[in-house]
Amino acid sequence: MNKLVLALLLCSAWLFPQDVKRLPNNTGTSQYVVFAWNDLGMHCLNPTYDQAVILPPYNNVLAQVVKRGNPPEIVTSGVTVSYSIFNNTTSADKGNFGQFWQNSARLFGVAPALNKGLNLVDPTISNGLSGDMIVKGTHFQVNGIPVTPIDDQGVWNPYQTGVITVKDGNGTVVASTKMIVPTSDEINCSKCHGATNPFRDVMLKHDIKYATNLLNSAPVLCASCHGSPALAQVGPGSAKKYLSQSIHGSHARFNAACYDCHPGATTRCSRSEAHTNPTGGCLRCHGSMANVSATITLKGRVPWLNEPKCVRCHSNVPGVDTHAELYRNSTGHGGMYCVACHNSPHAMLPSSQAVDGFTAVQYQGKAKTIGSCSACHNSNKGEGFGEWFEQHGSNNAEAESACNVCHTGFLHPIQANFPHGFLMNTRTATVGSGPVKNVPVVETPLPPPATGKIAIVTLPQSQTVTVGQKVTFTIVVTGNAPITYKWYKNGAAVTGQTKASYSFTAQASDNGATFFVAMRNPVGSAFSRTVNLTVQ
């Protein structure tokens, strides 16, 4: 049992008054508090599992339980922690997600029971949408919750609500909270691969370019060749390219946007108000898509395991540099996880989603970082440590503080033992203000294309026409001659269409058809994006 001691060094035996403090929102003298979070802040899953498959329905929830006191303690014994998904009890009977259970053995080598999930951490344990969490070090954890974004009323919501309940040895509930269990199936590749069957289009183009046989092997797990640490795989796989490296590198050349895939325009991966903007703010931390791929190709970065660090922008603050550890796995103040107080990656408080702030509101009355002075003040450290000491830590303490979420009193308070040494960058109540630095990523460019390789200048565009109207699809490219062209309609090569333009007269039967062109020259090959034809 680890002790969460606010002051580790006692300069004298004299102690400040140790009267029990109520939680700041007047919930009484609760003995326990619980903090829960998702490991990534957003999990993506496929909308179907019968074509190209990237990710399974899979979610992880972690929690720390603190016994309030002077000092408080992180506890992992004498209590049990359970989880459930509010108004979401099944997955296999919703949307096309049943295909996961139909094809799981073929895709992942495991055949879990209906509504039970894979477990990449403890493979012998298959978890459902409710159950008990197990102890892992100083926290409780459940891996592989097969939650989907469709609740029991058929409502699509990528921000599913997890309910975490703590019981003592007598079965009495002593603490509970809510948190977001995020999951979205928006990723569908239709922007570049056509609206009809984008995953089939991906496999078809892969087959044409690399002489594979994916279409006839469906369903196919992309990570079966392109290694993905997100699936606990080690190394880049038989393709010699990580999945992240391949996808980001190839799509960077088509000017794709982060929210085309992560996970989509509606969900949007990042919801931390201080770390996002209309395009997601992804570039601030990760850099461009070219950079995401190039840092793997040229610098040996391992995707999912080597990611941006908070200290790049939040410098000169004790405890922010997590060194080789990722933010989501790092601990700080008394052994508490950073995410226990700041919330999940991509969802650091304050968040655009109210449930992300449920724990903070429950315990301190405001959806701010746990223990932040901004729960009461207009900045995250009030007037500084001196004011805190005068109002909250001395014999003349006037009021409770957010520290009382865990601490019922204080041993000799020493500034250095406060979270971040009470030296956090001042950020006022206005989101995004304050001296936090916006340090841009130093971009690593992708290797230049081979001399003479086909480069696309102008792509064909989707069109809407009437019956009998002439349709022309055109692509403009540069590269060494000769360049050959082959146009495809609905995935099949069109006989005789071997030029940069393809023209025909629209028929009613052409409505909804998809088109792309494959090109080749002595240096390599390339594809256009897949476009759609609407005939009215």
Side-chain angles (χ1 to χ4, degrees):
M1 195 179 294
N2 295 326
K3 292 192 173 183
L4 179 62
V5 182
L6 182 62
L8 300 177
L9 303 175
L10 296 178
C11 298
S12 69
W14 178 76
L15 300 179
F16 286 100
Q18 300 183 26
D19 56 312
V20 174
K21 300 287 188 180
R22 293 185 302 165
L23 298 184
N25 67 339
N26 299 317
T27 56
T29 54
S30 302
Q31 187 177 10
Y32 294 92
V33 288
V34 58
F35 309 91
W37 63 92
N38 170 262
D39 61 335
L40 297 180
M42 177 50 64
H43 278 259
C44 302
L45 73 162
N46 271 64
T48 62
Y49 290 87
D50 61 343
Q51 300 284 332
V53 174
I54 301 173
L55 291 167
Y58 194 96
N59 225 290
N60 305 317
V61 172
L62 301 89
Q64 281 189 301
V65 179
V66 173
K67 185 176 182 180
R68 300 180 70 234
N70 183 14
E73 298 173 308
I74 298 173
V75 296
T76 55
S77 61
V79 296
T80 60
V81 181
S82 62
Y83 71 95
S84 63
I85 310 299
F86 177 75
N87 194 32
N88 198 337
T89 57
T90 63
S91 294
D93 57 346
K94 297 169 180 174
N96 291 312
F97 299 119
Q99 294 174 353
F100 165 76
W101 283 272
Q102 294 168 10
N103 297 316
S104 182
R106 183 173 176 177
L107 290 165
F108 299 98
V110 180
L114 285 181
N115 301 309
K116 295 284 189 176
L118 305 175
N119 192 326
L120 303 175
V121 177
D122 298 296
T124 60
I125 302 174
S126 184
N127 293 301
L129 277 78
S130 62
D132 292 326
M133 302 174 72
I134 62 175
V135 174
K136 294 279 188 180
T138 61
H139 67 276
F140 293 81
Q141 183 169 321
V142 55
N143 294 94
I145 304 172
V147 61
T148 74
I150 303 175
D151 69 18
D152 289 346
Q153 270 61 57
V155 177
W156 186 87
N157 179 10
Y159 307 114
Q160 295 291 306
T161 298
V163 180
I164 310 301
T165 304
V166 182
K167 295 181 180 179
D168 64 16
N170 297 319
T172 302
V173 175
V174 294
S176 65
T177 193
K178 297 178 182 178
M179 44 82 69
I180 285 181
V181 183
T183 181
S184 180
D185 62 344
E186 270 196 274
I187 179 172
N188 62 21
C189 308
S190 62
K191 180 178 178 180
C192 296
H193 293 279
T196 303
N197 194 334
F199 289 121
R200 186 181 188 280
D201 187 77
V202 170
M203 293 191 294
L204 171 63
K205 289 178 178 176
H206 196 287
D207 285 348
I208 294 171
K209 184 169 184 177
Y210 299 105
T212 51
N213 191 32
L214 301 183
L215 273 180
N216 294 324
S217 305
V220 175
L221 179 66
C222 300
S224 62
C225 296
H226 294 276
S228 176
L231 295 176
Q233 295 176 330
V234 178
S238 60
K240 309 300 183 185
K241 273 191 175 184
Y242 285 105
L243 184 59
S244 174
Q245 177 184 9
S246 182
I247 290 179
H248 288 97
S250 60
H251 289 76
R253 305 188 193 279
F254 286 91
N255 297 317
C258 302
Y259 280 161
D260 290 339
C261 299
H262 288 281
T266 300
T267 307
R268 304 195 167 202
C269 186
S270 180
R271 55 189 187 274
S272 172
E273 292 184 354
H275 298 84
T276 191
N277 60 35
T279 62
C282 312
L283 274 64
R284 184 191 304 176
C285 294
H286 298 278
S288 67
M289 280 202 288
N291 183 72
V292 171
S293 179
T295 50
I296 301 171
T297 303
L298 301 177
K299 295 188 174 181
R301 184 178 68 84
V302 179
W304 299 92
L305 302 183
N306 305 131
E307 295 297 342
K309 299 180 65 175
C310 305
V311 72
R312 194 178 78 240
C313 293
H314 299 270
S315 57
N316 302 317
V317 179
V320 171
D321 190 351
T322 58
H323 303 287
E325 199 67 83
L326 292 173
Y327 161 75
R328 66 175 181 262
N329 298 329
S330 297
T331 59
H333 183 57
M336 293 296 292
Y337 277 85
C338 300
V339 284
C341 296
H342 292 277
N343 206 38
S344 307
H346 304 109
M348 290 79 76
L349 296 175
S351 162
S352 63
Q353 299 297 313
V355 178
D356 277 322
F358 182 91
T359 301
V361 171
Q362 173 179 228
Y363 292 149
Q364 63 184 25
K366 189 175 288 187
K368 299 284 189 175
T369 301
I370 297 291
S372 172
C373 296
S374 60
C376 299
H377 298 266
N378 288 327
S379 77
N380 62 1
K381 58 181 180 182
E383 299 295 326
F385 180 74
E387 182 205 31
W388 183 93
F389 181 85
E390 179 182 346
Q391 293 199 17
H392 307 297
S394 69
N395 284 315
N396 299 316
E398 300 172 8
E400 299 161 345
S401 73
C403 298
N404 299 128
V405 169
C406 296
H407 295 263
T408 59
F410 301 95
L411 301 176
H412 197 103
I414 299 174
Q415 180 174 349
N417 294 326
F418 272 68
H420 302 299
F422 219 94
L423 294 173
M424 60 287 270
N425 294 123
T426 301
R427 185 184 294 277
T428 65
T430 303
V431 173
S433 60
V436 177
K437 301 176 183 177
N438 186 7
V439 180
V441 172
V442 178
E443 289 278 334
T444 300
L446 285 168
T451 302
K453 186 175 181 180
I454 295 172
I456 296 173
V457 177
T458 304
L459 286 163
Q461 303 294 318
S462 295
Q463 297 183 39
T464 299
V465 299
T466 58
V467 173
Q469 185 176 342
K470 184 179 180 180
V471 179
T472 299
F473 292 112
T474 300
I475 190 164
V476 178
V477 300
T478 61
N480 286 355
I483 299 176
T484 61
Y485 301 84
K486 182 181 289 187
W487 285 90
Y488 286 76
K489 176 182 178 181
N490 294 332
V494 182
T495 303
Q497 296 300 323
T498 57
K499 296 183 179 181
S501 291
Y502 169 30
S503 298
F504 60 94
T505 300
Q507 306 296 322
S509 58
D510 292 325
N511 184 44
T514 59
F515 300 84
F516 71 87
V517 60
M519 298 152 288
R520 186 175 296 276
N521 74 353
V523 182
S525 60
F527 293 93
S528 74
R529 66 184 177 195
T530 298
V531 296
N532 305 303
L533 179 64
T534 301
V535 181
Q536 298 176 333

